[in-house]
């Protein structure tokens, strides 16, 4: 019966979740479906705004054209200054370029006039008269009015020059940083005297002054173009002026003649005589061209940008759809939980704290502009970016766009739904309980209260007989007295000090206990290591003792390595004795046997010769084994003298090949040599190097598969030389390549072939004695010996 009730309860709970998701899906689908309706309203609103904008622009069209001409006028002076500077003229300021020399020469190091009178750094006259603070007097203390007038005029000129420089510097910056982009201006400037040019386009704008077929084709591509020619005396001619009325051309000439633009923008009350001294650009041609038919409007004023389109989409109904859908979701969250069997207010929403719910709602509200742009871009085109070469048809792209929008709205509405379900708990719980149980702030306050209670309870459990506690109390008492004396003038300071001392005690106590615990862990580990347990490990963080732990781990690793090396050494010693005994005993036994046979008198001369030949071979093998033992012994003890000389590796290998030609032929292995044509010279011991390659080639003749090929090659690099010998083994290579170069280790574990097992060990020792590296590499049955020597 209980199982049936539980199943029914879970069934109704799932039904409640499904109904909620279904309703939220319906709201999300409704919002996405409303995009086309909102877009139609936005387009109507947009058309109305555009019509108003066009009307306003048409009423101000003439003003825009005049402002456009003023911008060209400012551009002429900016470009003229630039081309003068490019031509190598020393025009540091616009004043030096466009004002007469007699005006520029009034500026001295300190800005003081030095014509008929001389002034010091503080403006004091010290030439033909003296200054007494109230005016300028001659040597007889007669007031000199002309000097004051002249000084005032100098100051006025200086102010005019500074204002002029400031103005044209501003023109220059605005022209390059703003005007060119705003009006989409293309320009071409040429200094008629020097031939220097400036341009921001690859188009040949100079053709606009011609009447050829090529010029006609270029002219047809521009809605406006004009050419301004300044003569040697600064007179202005405008031979080409297309796109505006001829009256505008006359207006431009008037601007240049009267300097009204400069005068109006400086507006510092300077007299006309100063403005009349401004020089126009000279011997210069400036050509402008604009392709846009609305060239006299700045882009920022004329373009119907996305911000405006988003605004019309919002006011066309999106903000109402957003608000109504949120309201509907809030109502669902408030009233659906009244269906008790669905238990909607008892799941995930119960666990969401108030602050997190507020944060979620805040994020969805602040994301309004992002949602607006997403909806607008989806309704007017593609929100998701697809490659130009995308294989998806348009209807698939539209499904993906609207599907993504649907999921985003589902997330937004789910955040609101869960947040309102969380807020709704305030009704059954009450405000006080809701704050305590369902807010992070309330839980934080409760946590602080509980810990304060624990703190006061811990104070009562302090053992004052403990020596460490006594030491802490002494420190705290001294600390308290010092701080109390410092803060005793404030009553609140004493109360804070009491609390501070209590907290400090528990912090210090916890710190000391932690040190004791970690010290005990460290001491226990060292005791186990001292007893021979080298596998002990310390996993805990030891804090202050962490460096000591790391050093202890290094000691442990060193001990383990030393033990392993010692075990390996003992094993090798045992194997050495065994292998030496075996390898010495075999030829010695054969020698004794054949000597006994020779002592017998009933042998033929043929048998006697055969026995003597065998004795010779076995004695040579025994001799070779003893020599090998002697060599490896000296090499291992570093008791070897290395005589370094210049050795040609190519010649040496060829020499070894000739010396071992018989054995190579008997082995039935075909040797292939890949050696450089030029010499490979290294500083090596020739005898030991010969022994290295002799051992390696003999190794191939013994163990390589008959009728296979062996390769010997030399690779020469910038910094080193590598010699590689490789062959296919006649038997399976089942040994460790790292151990085969050890003493008395042989690939033939049954020791059926002749050999001492010292050949590769001698090779390795001799290579390393000469500063090289020796490696054995195995790949299936491929045996490869690699020697690396660095060039000197």
């Amino acid at each position: 019966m209980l199982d049936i009730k539980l199943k029914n309860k879970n069934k109704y709970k799932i039904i409640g979740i499904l109904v909620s998701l279904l309703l939220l899906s319906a709201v999300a689908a409704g919002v996405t479906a409303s995009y086309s309706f909102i877009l139609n309203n936005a387009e109507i609103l947009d058309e109305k705004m555009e019509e108003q904008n066009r009307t306003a622009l048409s009423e101000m069209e003439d003003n825009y054209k005049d402002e456009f001409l003023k911008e060209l006028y400012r551009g002429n002076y900016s470009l003229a200054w630039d081309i003068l500077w490019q031509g190598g003229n020393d025009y540091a300021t616009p004043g030096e370029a466009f004002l007469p020399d007699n005006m520029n020469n009034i500026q001295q190091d300190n800005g003081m006039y030095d014509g008929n009178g001389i002034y010091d750094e503080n403006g004091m006259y010290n030439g033909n008269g003296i200054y007494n603070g109230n005016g300028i007097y001659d040597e007889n203390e007669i007031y000199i009015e002309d000097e004051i007038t002249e000084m005032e005029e100098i100051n006025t000129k200086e102010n005019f020059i500074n204002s002029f420089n400031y103005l044209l510097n501003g023109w220059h910056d605005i022209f390059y940083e703003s005007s060119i982009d705003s009006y989409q201006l293309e320009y071409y400037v040429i200094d008629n005297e020097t031939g220097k040019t400036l341009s921001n386009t690859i188009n040949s704008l100079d053709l606009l002054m011609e009447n050829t077929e090529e010029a006609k084709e270029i002219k047809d591509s521009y809605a406006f173009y004009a050419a301004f020619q300044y003569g040697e005396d600064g007179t202005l001619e405008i031979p080409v002026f297309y796109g505006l009325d001829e009256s505008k051309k006359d207006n431009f000439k008037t601007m240049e003649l009267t300097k009204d633009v400069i005068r109006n923008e400086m507006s510092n009350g300077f007299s006309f005589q100063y403005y009349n001294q401004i020089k126009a650009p000279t011997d210069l041609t400036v050509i402008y061209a604009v392709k846009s038919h609305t060239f006299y409007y700045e882009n920022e004023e004329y373009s119907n940008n996305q911000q405006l389109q988003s605004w019309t989409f919002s006011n066309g109904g999106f903000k109402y759809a957003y608000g109504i859908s949120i309201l509907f979701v809030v109502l669902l969250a408030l009233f659906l939980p009244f269906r008790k069997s669905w238990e909607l207010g008892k799941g995930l929403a119960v666990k969401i704290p108030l602050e997190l719910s507020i944060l979620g709602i805040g994020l969805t509200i602040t994301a309004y502009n992002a949602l607006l742009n997403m909806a607008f871009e989806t309704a007017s085109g593609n929100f998701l970016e697809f490659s130009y070469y995308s294989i998806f048809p348009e209807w698939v792209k539209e499904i993906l766009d609207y599907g993504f929008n649907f999921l985003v709205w589902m997330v937004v509405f789910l955040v609101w739904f869960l947040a309102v379900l969380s807020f709704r708990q305030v009704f059954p719980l009450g405000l006080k309980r809701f704050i305590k149980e369902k807010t992070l702030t309330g839980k934080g306050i409760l946590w602080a209260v509980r810990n304060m209670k624990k703190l006061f309870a811990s104070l009562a459990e302090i053992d004052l007989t403990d020596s460490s506690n006594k030491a802490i109390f002494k420190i705290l008492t001294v600390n308290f007295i010092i701080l109390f004396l410092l803060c005793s003038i404030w009553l609140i300071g004493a109360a804070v000090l009491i609390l501070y001392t209590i907290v400090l005690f528990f912090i210090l106590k916890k710190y000391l206990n932690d040190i004791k615990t970690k010290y005990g862990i460290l001491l226990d580990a060292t005791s186990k290591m001292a007893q021979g347990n080298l596998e002990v490990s310390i996993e805990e963080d030891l804090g202050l003792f962490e460096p000591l732990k790391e050093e202890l781990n290094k000691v442990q690793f060193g001990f383990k390595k030393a033990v392993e090396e010692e075990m390996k050494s003992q094993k090798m010693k045992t194997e050495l004795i065994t292998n030496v005994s075996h390898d010495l005993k075999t030829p010695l036994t054969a020698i004794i046997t054949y000597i006994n046979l020779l002592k017998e008198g009933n042998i033929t001369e043929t048998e006697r010769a055969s026995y003597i030949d065998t004795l010779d071979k076995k004695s040579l093998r025994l001799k070779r084994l003893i020599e090998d033992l002697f060599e490896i012994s000296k090499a291992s003890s570093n008791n070897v003298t290395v005589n370094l000389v210049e050795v040609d590796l190519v010649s040496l290998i060829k020499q070894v090949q000739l010396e071992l030609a018989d054995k190579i032929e008997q082995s039935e292995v075909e040797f292939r040599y890949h050696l450089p044509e030029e010499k490979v010279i290294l500083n090596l011991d020739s005898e030991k190097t010969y022994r290295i390659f002799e051992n390696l080639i003999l190794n191939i003749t013994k163990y390589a598969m008959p009728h296979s090929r062996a390769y010997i090659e030399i690779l020469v690099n910038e910094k080193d030389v590598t010699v590689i010998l490789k062959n296919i083994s006649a038997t399976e290579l089942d040994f460790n390549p790292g151990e085969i170069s050890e003493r008395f280790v042989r690939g033939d574990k049954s020791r059926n072939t002749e050999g001492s097992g010292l050949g590769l060990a001698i090779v390795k020792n001799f290579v390393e004695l000469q500063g090289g590296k020796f490696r054995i590499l195995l790949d299936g049955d491929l045996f490869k010996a690699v020697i690396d020597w660095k060039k000197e």
Side-chain angles (χ1 to χ4, degrees), residues 16 78 118 186 217 262 285 291 314 349 366 403 414 435 471 515 521 595 641 646 706 752 775:
S78 298
I118 301 174
E186 296 179 26
E217 185 178 345
I262 299 174
T285 300
K291 291 182 178 179
S314 177
T366 55
L414 194 61
I435 292 173
I515 290 175
I521 294 170
I595 289 173
T641 302
E646 289 187 353
N752 292 322
R775 294 172 289 149

Side-chain angles (χ1 to χ4, degrees), residues 474-490:
K474 290 178 181 178
I475 295 171
L476 291 177
T477 302
V478 173
N479 178 65
F480 176 79
I481 292 171
I482 294 171
L483 293 177
F484 182 78
L485 292 174
L486 292 174
C487 304
S488 58
I489 54 174
W490 298 288

Side-chain angles (χ1 to χ4, degrees), residues 61 75 110 177 200 225 299 311 336 361 384 394 429-430 432 472 571 575 609 637 662-663 694 699 753 781 784 786:
E61 184 175 351
N110 298 313
E177 295 174 7
N200 70 335
Y225 53 87
N299 286 342
W311 183 86
L336 282 179
I361 290 176
L384 299 175
E394 289 301 321
L429 295 177
K432 185 176 180 180
I472 293 172
K571 181 181 177 183
E575 290 177 352
S637 62
D662 292 337
K663 291 186 179 295
E694 181 186 36
N699 195 66
T753 57
D781 289 334
K784 186 187 292 186
V786 182

Side-chain angles (χ1 to χ4, degrees), residues 329-339 342 344 417 420-421 424:
V329 171
V330 170
L331 293 175
L332 286 177
L334 287 174
F335 291 104
L336 282 179
F338 282 112
R339 186 67 179 263
W342 289 353
L344 284 178
F417 188 76
V420 175
L421 284 178
R424 194 180 180 278

Side-chain angles (χ1 to χ4, degrees), residues 305-323:
N305 55 36
Q306 187 176 352
Q307 186 178 0
L308 179 60
Q309 291 174 336
S310 298
W311 183 86
T312 56
F313 190 80
S314 177
N315 286 276
F318 179 80
K319 63 183 180 182
Y320 304 111
Y322 179 81

Side-chain angles (χ1 to χ4, degrees), residues 620-638:
L620 286 175
R621 183 184 173 188
L622 188 59
K623 178 186 175 186
R624 181 65 178 266
L625 178 59
I626 293 170
E627 287 176 351
D628 287 348
L629 278 170
F630 184 70
E631 290 289 351
I632 196 68
S633 176
K634 288 200 300 181
S636 299
S637 62
N638 291 325

Side-chain angles (χ1 to χ4, degrees), residues 631-632 635-638 692 741 743 760-770 774:
E631 290 289 351
I632 196 68
S636 299
S637 62
N638 291 325
I692 288 170
S741 58
R743 291 169 290 178
L760 293 180
I762 291 171
V763 169
K764 181 181 179 184
N765 278 276
F766 281 5
V767 169
E768 291 175 353
L769 279 171
Q770 298 179 86
F774 178 69

